[in-house]
Amino acid sequence: MKKRIAIIGSGFSGLSAAAYAAAEGHTVHVFEKNAGPGGRARQFQTENGYTFDMGPSWYWMPDIINNFFQDFGKQATDYLELISLDPQFEMVFSRDNVAIPRDYAQMKALFEQIEPGAGLRLDEFMEAAKYKYEVGMRDFVNKPCYSWFEFMSPKIAGSALRLDLLSGFRKYVKKYFTNPKLVSLMEFPVIFLGASPRNIPAMYSLMNYGGYALGTWYPKGGFYELVKAMKSVAEEQGAVFHFNQPVEAINCADGSVQTLLIKGEEHAFDVIIASSDYHHTETLLAPSLRNYDEKYWAGRTFAPSCLIYYLGFNERIPNLKHHTLFFENDLDAHIDSIYVDKSWPEKPLFYACCPSQTDDRVAPEGHENIFLLMPLAMGVTDDEPTRERYLLEMIARLEKHTGTINLLEKIDFKKSYCVSDFMQDYNAYGGNAYGLANTLSQTAVWKPSIKNKKLKNLFYTGQLTVPGPGVPPSIISGKIVASEVNKLNTHTYEKAV
């Protein structure tokens, strides 16, 4: 039975859900509080010629992203010009730097040079990571996770030991590598999952395969090109988008959602899919109709927030790669500031993205576009003087690495973004940037449910539910929810938007 479906939010999970639901013939309307699609993956342009992606910048797991387009008879390359980055990224240490080459044979030789025997151990690590990737990203993550019985297939059950669900990632990495630089290189990808490598299951070595082995890519024009491409696919299926349309209330009766209140007007739908922040969505319901109370959310382990600076420089900056990770300081000390002290870090690590090294569209000729990101605890006070203090430190380290001076004087565009902005723009719980951390106790069935337990027609998708944070998992999340909605039997309202 065809349904009238409302999707709240147009981040990657909302775009995905819209495309899959519309492809089934349902009437799909997407309501977005901001002026354009993308959620955290929005983009903005400046009057003096810069184009900044506001969020994701690592195009990893290209096969998983391409699966979305293939489901609609397309290829990602029908919409995107993808560039394979070489080197994939550079990691800056207190002594020496390490750049990860695109070619695997060169990567293996690099590991061997840093630590004798590490080349062969990289083969062993990647072989195991490939297995986890193939099982994890094709079988494990495509479940609605109502029950552990969903994972009782012979393939998944037979893979349990090889998936290393109960092993810690750091201990697992140190079985293969002892050199601190190599350990940092292998631990870095799981930082995207929002917790210390000490607390992430070793199963997530699949991230190393999905990144290092499959390559680090860049869609020319910026990551926002993926947002535009997915929106085009959804519209081709019949989905309709409504921007500057914040949902103010979810009105319910008789065990189901009846209407959404949008700018003072009620609109009736058969099914609601909330791609908006899970906690925020539940605040739009009466307390008795929520899946989780405030105590539950306070007890979750969230991925970090972050301080971001979008910077334009009036000259090119030498010796800078597209992706650079500044790891001169201790990773654990920075992580403890996020999860233990919940304070601004004393000796931070940070990440610099310079897309103008690859793409001449994102900055005026002869200029540089740089995005600086420093992971940060949720809920900290992020006044402008504090933001500026950390900018000065990051700029000083950027100058040291690139051999330049007076970079502050060369800035011709500057915009900061931090905890309070995530709260304001995305209703993000505590100002988190990446959803729930993928710790073992917050995996699969132990994540917030994709279905409201008291309302038969309200579903949730995105980084706070299954399968978890990141662009490919969010795309998969939208597909899972659309499939679940398709199983519902419910009547169709006649009222028009």
Side-chain angles (χ1 to χ4, degrees):
M1 182 179 291
K2 303 309 176 188
K3 306 170 185 72
R4 184 173 169 77
I5 299 172
I7 296 176
I8 306 173
S10 64
F12 283 114
S13 63
L15 293 168
S16 174
Y20 285 108
E24 292 292 336
H26 303 301
T27 299
V28 176
H29 290 272
V30 182
F31 297 95
E32 167 60 54
K33 75 183 288 283
N34 293 306
R40 288 166 169 80
R42 293 181 298 158
Q43 189 180 77
F44 72 91
Q45 297 177 330
T46 71
E47 292 182 357
N48 57 343
Y50 293 99
T51 298
F52 291 97
D53 281 325
M54 294 187 70
S57 57
W58 290 81
Y59 196 105
W60 273 1
M61 303 186 184
D63 58 329
I64 303 300
I65 295 174
N66 195 48
N67 286 346
F68 168 82
F69 294 97
Q70 289 179 329
D71 284 344
F72 301 95
K74 306 282 188 178
Q75 299 291 330
T77 50
D78 294 337
Y79 299 86
L80 308 172
E81 181 183 345
L82 291 173
I83 300 168
S84 180
L85 299 182
D86 191 16
Q88 299 188 46
F89 63 89
E90 184 170 26
M91 188 171 277
V92 178
F93 296 102
S94 56
R95 293 182 181 178
D96 302 323
N97 309 321
V98 178
I100 293 296
R102 175 177 57 193
D103 180 76
Y104 181 78
Q106 294 178 18
M107 189 188 312
K108 183 177 173 180
L110 174 66
F111 273 56
E112 186 67 27
Q113 178 185 340
I114 294 172
E115 179 182 316
L120 285 177
R121 290 193 295 275
L122 179 65
D123 281 341
E124 295 169 4
F125 185 99
M126 284 298 184
E127 183 180 353
K130 180 179 180 181
Y131 180 83
K132 295 183 182 78
Y133 186 84
E134 290 175 345
V135 174
M137 296 307 295
R138 290 177 173 83
D139 299 312
F140 197 83
V141 301
N142 289 294
K143 308 291 183 184
C145 295
Y146 298 130
S147 164
W148 288 112
F149 287 108
E150 296 168 26
F151 299 92
M152 293 300 119
S153 73
K155 183 174 183 180
I156 294 178
S159 303
L161 289 176
R162 292 180 68 183
L163 288 175
D164 287 308
L165 274 168
L166 300 180
S167 303
F169 190 81
R170 170 162 292 169
K171 189 175 292 186
Y172 179 79
V173 167
K174 288 187 174 181
K175 285 169 52 181
Y176 292 89
F177 310 105
T178 58
N179 184 280
K181 291 185 176 68
L182 295 186
V183 171
S184 292
L185 281 165
M186 301 310 281
E187 287 186 345
F188 147 67
V190 303
I191 296 173
F192 285 113
L193 302 176
S196 166
R198 293 171 294 195
N199 301 322
I200 290 283
M203 182 185 81
Y204 290 106
S205 62
L206 64 86
M207 293 285 290
N208 298 85
Y209 180 80
Y212 297 2
L214 298 183
T216 302
W217 301 77
Y218 172 77
K220 193 159 188 181
F223 214 95
Y224 192 67
E225 294 299 309
L226 178 59
V227 171
K228 288 166 33 179
M230 291 181 65
K231 177 175 179 283
S232 293
V233 170
E235 289 176 323
E236 288 163 11
Q237 311 312 308
V240 178
F241 288 79
H242 308 269
F243 299 110
N244 297 308
Q245 299 289 311
V247 174
E248 298 159 346
I250 300 174
N251 301 314
C252 311
D254 303 322
S256 66
V257 176
Q258 301 294 316
T259 63
L260 296 181
L261 184 67
I262 302 170
K263 287 194 169 180
E265 295 185 10
E266 291 194 31
H267 303 273
F269 292 94
D270 297 321
V271 180
I272 310 299
I273 298 174
S275 172
S276 45
D277 178 270
Y278 199 125
H279 170 268
H280 170 73
T281 301
E282 296 234 292
T283 67
L284 304 178
L285 297 165
S288 62
L289 298 177
R290 300 171 188 173
N291 276 351
Y292 307 104
D293 58 18
E294 292 298 323
K295 183 178 179 181
Y296 170 88
W297 292 109
R300 299 303 91 191
T301 300
F302 277 81
S305 186
C306 55
L307 168 64
I308 301 171
Y309 267 93
Y310 309 99
L311 303 172
F313 292 88
N314 62 15
E315 65 178 49
R316 302 305 298 265
I317 299 175
N319 307 316
L320 193 60
K321 306 297 189 290
H322 189 116
H323 296 301
T324 306
L325 299 154
F326 287 80
F327 269 55
E328 309 100 310
N329 297 325
D330 183 60
L331 171 62
D332 287 340
H334 189 141
I335 287 174
D336 286 346
S337 75
I338 295 170
Y339 295 107
V340 180
D341 305 327
K342 299 183 179 179
S343 61
W344 287 82
E346 290 186 16
K347 296 182 177 180
L349 284 65
F350 71 97
Y351 156 60
C353 179
C354 186
S356 48
Q357 291 285 332
T358 304
D359 188 351
D360 58 8
R361 301 182 196 175
V362 299
E365 185 176 357
H367 291 228
E368 208 79 276
N369 172 322
I370 295 183
F371 166 112
L372 301 179
L373 183 150
M374 187 184 81
L376 188 62
M378 293 195 323
V380 297
T381 301
D382 63 332
D383 55 85
E384 203 61 38
T386 303
R387 297 186 189 192
E388 287 287 309
R389 178 162 61 90
Y390 282 90
L391 172 64
L392 293 178
E393 171 160 350
M394 291 188 284
I395 289 291
R397 287 159 67 182
L398 195 63
E399 288 178 337
K400 180 180 178 181
H401 172 64
T402 59
T404 54
I405 59 173
N406 301 324
L407 282 182
L408 281 174
E409 299 173 8
K410 299 166 184 175
I411 293 174
D412 61 357
F413 179 82
K414 181 176 72 174
K415 175 183 173 66
S416 64
Y417 202 92
C418 202
V419 176
S420 57
D421 300 298
F422 281 98
M423 292 179 178
Q424 174 66 35
D425 289 351
Y426 311 124
N427 298 309
Y429 181 82
N432 82 85
Y434 304 106
L436 282 176
N438 265 358
T439 58
L440 181 59
S441 63
Q442 294 181 165
T443 294
V445 174
W446 292 323
K447 285 189 182 293
S449 174
I450 65 167
K451 190 176 188 308
N452 187 284
K453 301 167 185 176
K454 298 159 189 174
L455 300 164
K456 63 185 179 183
N457 61 344
L458 174 58
F459 293 80
Y460 307 86
T461 186
Q463 62 181 6
L464 289 179
T465 184
V466 294
V471 173
S474 291
I475 293 172
I476 292 169
S477 183
K479 182 178 182 179
I480 292 170
V481 167
S483 176
E484 293 304 298
V485 166
N486 208 44
K487 299 172 185 176
L488 280 181
N489 288 318
T490 185
H491 64 284
T492 301
Y493 290 99
E494 297 296 329
K495 185 174 180 180
V497 174

